[in-house]
Amino acid sequence: MTDAVIPPPLRPDDLGPDTAPVAYETALDGSLAYVTLNRPEYRNAQNSVMTYSLDSAFRKAVDDPAVKVIVLRANGKHFSAGHDIGTPERDFDTYYDNVAALHWDHTERTGADQRLARETEVYLGMCRRWRDIPKPVIAQVHGACIAGGLMLAWICDFIVASDDAFFSDPVARMGIPGVEYFAHAYVLGPRRAKEILFTGERFTAAQALDWGMVNHVVPRADLDAKVTSIAEQIVAMPMQGLFLSKKAVNICEDQMGMRNAMDSVFGWHHYAHSANAEGGGDSLGGMDAKSMKSSADSAATSPEKKA
């Protein structure tokens, strides 16, 4: 599908402070692991190489007994522009050994079967795997956090954002009911979830704080220090208390129906892909990275938004 040379995903032993598309380093005497999205030239759009490299970084942090808290952050101007739907390194047609789900090879399938197999693994499956990481995970968000970027932030235990951060899930423009890890109604509430889906509009860090989606908003210059101060408080706690507290809250969220709801919406998500493909030959409803960005920019600069 592309002439670009796509490197293999990084393994845990390959990771380092400057590796791409994911970097890894520790601080606070090894008790804090920084997992950094490092594909800034593409606004940290998530291809499969990044996804599997990210999984290796999380695995490295989980396996290190010294690490008690993980921070997910990003290099460059933006946290993440979402799933890769248009870079030269887009690799949806490439096979990788499954990690999150035991499923057949999507590259040997076609149509709806191909899409379902791949997205079960790299989108919904990976996010569920990471949500259950047995150590606290903090999302450190700046700049754009769009669509698949929301999925990465939402799997974290809480979110600290800079005051220049903004968020959106605009995929209803594709005729699709939100991203695959459909936590919208749980992290935003039903009415706010409908608003951001129906309009596709961006919402600010201040709005996300007011709606309860993020925990703290600070000036961009203070973001690192704020996250570090929270991490210092967490590492002072016993690991058993942290793990069991996380498990307890996640169980409550699942008892409120989030996991079952995601399964249901994932089905509608793939109905939408198939309906798009059947109607026009394109599972994304004729949208690509450029048209999605153009639509979002137009909405953000409309007279109504300026008023």
Side-chain angles (χ1 to χ4, degrees), residues 24 37 97 123 152 181 233 239 241 247 305:
Y24 182 94
L37 307 178
D97 289 334
Y123 294 159
L152 294 185
Y181 185 80
Q233 292 178 278
M239 193 67 248
K247 193 73 173 175
K305 298 299 289 183

Side-chain angles (χ1 to χ4, degrees), residues 23-208:
Y24 182 94
E25 59 189 307
T26 60
L28 300 181
D29 297 322
S31 61
L32 168 61
Y34 284 111
V35 175
T36 307
L37 307 178
N38 196 21
R39 204 178 176 226
E41 68 275 25
Y42 298 119
R43 300 193 300 163
N44 293 312
Q46 304 157 36
N47 63 354
S48 291
V49 170
M50 173 181 273
T51 298
Y52 283 95
S53 298
L54 188 57
D55 189 72
S56 291
F58 285 138
R59 185 155 24 106
K60 185 180 182 76
V62 169
D63 287 342
D64 185 345
V67 171
K68 296 181 73 175
V69 61
I70 302 165
V71 171
L72 176 62
R73 63 183 184 178
N75 280 333
K77 293 177 62 177
H78 301 289
F79 180 76
S80 178
H83 296 145
D84 187 343
I85 61 172
T87 82
E89 297 173 358
R90 188 184 183 206
D91 54 357
F92 71 94
D93 58 331
T94 306
Y95 172 75
Y96 302 94
D97 289 334
N98 285 7
V99 171
L102 184 59
H103 217 297
W104 49 70
D105 175 8
H106 75 279
T107 64
E108 296 182 351
R109 306 285 171 146
T110 59
D113 198 9
Q114 181 192 56
R115 290 188 296 271
L116 181 64
R118 180 173 184 270
E119 294 194 3
T120 295
E121 164 72 4
V122 299
Y123 294 159
L124 182 61
M126 281 293 195
C127 284
R128 283 179 164 173
R129 174 176 165 88
W130 299 334
R131 177 197 178 236
D132 290 334
I133 289 171
K135 296 181 179 182
V137 185
I138 304 170
Q140 178 176 317
V141 178
H142 71 280
C145 181
I146 309 298
L150 284 174
M151 291 168 53
L152 294 185
W154 286 348
I155 62 95
C156 298
D157 297 302
F158 53 90
I159 302 170
V160 182
S162 61
D163 54 7
D164 67 345
F166 61 92
F167 308 86
S168 75
D169 183 0
V171 301
R173 299 184 194 281
M174 300 176 174
I176 297 171
V179 289
E180 294 83 354
Y181 185 80
F182 196 88
H184 305 59
Y186 294 87
V187 299
L188 289 164
R191 286 174 176 78
R192 292 298 186 189
K194 290 176 183 177
E195 181 178 354
I196 71 150
L197 289 166
F198 292 175
T199 65
E201 289 184 352
R202 297 172 177 174
F203 55 102
T204 66
Q207 288 173 304

